[in-house]
Amino acid sequence: MTTEVPGRTTGRRRRPPLLPLAALVLLSAVAACSDSGKQADTVPSASPTRAAIGPRDLVGAWESAQPGSNTTLAYRFTEEGKYKYVGLLSYPMGAEGTYELTHIAEGTYEASADALTLRPRSATVTRKNPENPEQDYTNSPAPVDTQHYQWTIADRKLSLIRQDGTKFVFTPVSP
């Protein structure tokens, strides 16, 4: 595909607008928790067919990566009420390489039977664009806004629903 400019055609490909995809990564607030020095991952304890019964069911690592998607989101929740989130947007840019946008946040969480509040203490964004490397950045500060979700676990899937109705579905990461 070529980009048409009045009076000429260039050989550069049109790229999908990055703002909506970047906003997904930056605003989704999916978190993978600090493990406080522990190395073992825990798989959430929800049974395959029952809904979550309490905040302890959140503990563990969760990932959302759809086949064919350029976005992966992951959270880790600890028993101590901490979380860490990693969001990665990545897509090939032909011979130039791969575009990557990574959002990392960590902080504390509070969960009740159906409400989840994430309070990030720190958040950063890193961008790598092989077509425009002079504007790349590493660990640039990102907003640390409190986020609110409704949550459920059913059939070994964690669903997080933002107040605007956007739903994210995660599966447990095997140890």
Side-chain angles (χ1 to χ4, degrees):
M1 175 187 209
T2 59
T3 304
E4 293 185 21
V5 177
R8 67 185 173 116
T9 301
T10 67
R12 294 186 65 138
R13 289 181 162 189
R14 288 184 80 181
R15 299 286 175 225
L18 294 179
L19 188 56
L21 294 174
L24 171 66
V25 172
L26 295 175
L27 298 176
S28 64
V30 190
C33 293
S34 304
D35 60 6
S36 303
K38 297 178 186 174
Q39 294 300 317
D41 287 340
T42 58
V43 174
S45 59
S47 70
T49 57
R50 72 172 175 87
I53 58 171
R56 289 193 58 142
D57 290 315
L58 278 172
V59 173
W62 298 90
E63 179 182 67
S64 178
Q66 299 300 319
S69 173
N70 294 331
T71 304
T72 299
L73 309 174
Y75 279 105
R76 180 180 308 274
F77 297 97
T78 69
E79 290 182 20
E80 297 81 22
K82 295 180 181 180
Y83 81 92
K84 187 170 185 180
Y85 162 82
V86 176
L88 173 64
L89 167 68
S90 173
Y91 61 86
M93 297 184 79
E96 293 92 4
T98 301
Y99 177 93
E100 293 179 357
L101 184 68
T102 306
H103 179 223
I104 299 173
E106 57 187 308
T108 60
Y109 74 93
E110 291 179 27
S112 65
D114 66 350
L116 174 65
T117 301
L118 303 176
R119 290 187 178 83
R121 290 188 182 149
S122 66
T124 61
V125 178
T126 298
R127 185 191 94 153
K128 177 185 169 195
N129 182 349
E131 288 187 349
N132 194 0
E134 61 278 355
Q135 292 187 5
D136 286 352
Y137 45 88
T138 302
N139 296 327
S140 179
V144 288
D145 300 326
T146 298
Q147 299 158 351
H148 303 279
Y149 295 94
Q150 286 183 309
W151 71 281
T152 60
I153 297 175
D155 297 324
R156 294 188 45 83
K157 292 184 177 156
L158 167 64
S159 295
L160 298 179
I161 305 167
R162 288 195 311 212
Q163 291 175 331
D164 69 1
T166 304
K167 182 178 182 178
F168 301 93
V169 178
F170 299 84
T171 55
V173 176
S174 298

